[in-house]
């Protein structure tokens, strides 16, 4: 790929980037991470996810103001499913729908996680390198003074 204007325009329409560019991206990403990744769950029932989102929205609205997220938890879940951020389906043993992350959401969450990881490791390794150089300089100076 040459990353022309058209190439980039097509990539931005891809589902993982759509999630990152969504109006409520911080809400969606943080909630999906807390619900699925942090709790190590693949699927969550509609009732459980709706209750968790309702509580999450309540706490955010207390902090950010009552009109920050005006929709209901179910409205948000249905919207996210329609936007392919969540997969909503039924399992054979229940009449209640379950939700799971789509591959696009998994990619977006992975991308966010990688952003955090790289910065820390890069800074730490540079700092170690600087200390090693300083130790080397001190060692060379001590050898030269001994001669």
């Amino acid at each position: 790929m040459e990353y022309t204007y058209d190439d980039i325009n097509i990539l931005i329409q891809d589902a993982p980037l759509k999630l990152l560019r969504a109006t409520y991206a911080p809400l969606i990403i943080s909630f999906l991470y807390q619900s699925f990744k942090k709790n190590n769950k693949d699927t969550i029932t509609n009732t459980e996810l709706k209750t968790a989102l309702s509580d999450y929205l309540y706490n955010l609205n207390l902090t950010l103001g009552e009109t920050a997220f005006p929709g209901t938890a179910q409205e948000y879940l249905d919207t996210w499913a329609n936007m392919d951020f969540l997969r909503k389906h039924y399992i054979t043993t229940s009449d209640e729908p379950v939700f799971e992350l789509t591959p696009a959401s998994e990619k977006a969450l992975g991308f966010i996680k990688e952003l955090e990881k790289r910065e820390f490791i890069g800074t730490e390794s540079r700092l170690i390198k600087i200390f090693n150089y300083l130790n080397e300089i001190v060692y060379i100076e001590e050898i030269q003074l001994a001669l």
Side-chain angles (χ1 to χ4, degrees), residues 30-90:
S30 63
F31 178 73
L32 294 181
Y33 178 80
Q34 299 288 326
S35 298
F36 288 93
K37 295 298 182 182
K38 191 174 179 183
N39 292 327
N40 201 24
K41 292 189 175 185
D42 293 329
T43 59
I44 303 174
T45 64
N46 186 74
T47 303
E48 185 181 348
L49 200 59
K50 183 173 72 172
T51 302
L53 181 55
S54 184
D55 293 343
Y56 197 70
L57 290 170
Y58 176 78
N59 289 325
L60 285 175
N61 283 331
L62 281 178
T63 323
L64 303 173
E66 289 187 27
T67 59
F69 301 107
T72 67
Q74 191 63 56
E75 289 170 344
Y76 285 117
L77 291 175
D78 291 338
T79 300
W80 299 345
N82 290 335
M83 296 177 78
D84 293 327
F85 301 153
L86 286 172
R87 180 171 174 252
K88 182 179 182 179
H89 61 96
Y90 292 87

Side-chain angles (χ1 to χ4, degrees), residues 90-96:
Y90 292 87
I91 55 176
T92 55
T93 58
S94 175
D95 292 337
E96 182 177 20

Side-chain angles (χ1 to χ4, degrees), residues 81-137:
N82 290 335
M83 296 177 78
D84 293 327
F85 301 153
L86 286 172
R87 180 171 174 252
K88 182 179 182 179
H89 61 96
Y90 292 87
I91 55 176
T92 55
T93 58
S94 175
D95 292 337
E96 182 177 20
V98 294
F99 287 94
E100 61 185 32
L101 293 175
T102 61
S105 295
E106 293 272 6
K107 256 186 183 176
L109 292 174
F111 176 75
I112 295 291
K113 192 169 179 105
E114 280 297 311
L115 286 176
E116 176 188 9
K117 191 184 293 184
R118 281 190 193 144
E119 185 177 332
F120 176 74
I121 292 174
T123 304
E124 181 184 29
S125 65
R126 287 186 193 128
L127 189 58
I128 290 170
K129 214 178 225 183
I130 290 169
F131 279 121
N132 288 338
Y133 286 143
L134 289 173
N135 283 333
E136 194 175 315
I137 291 169

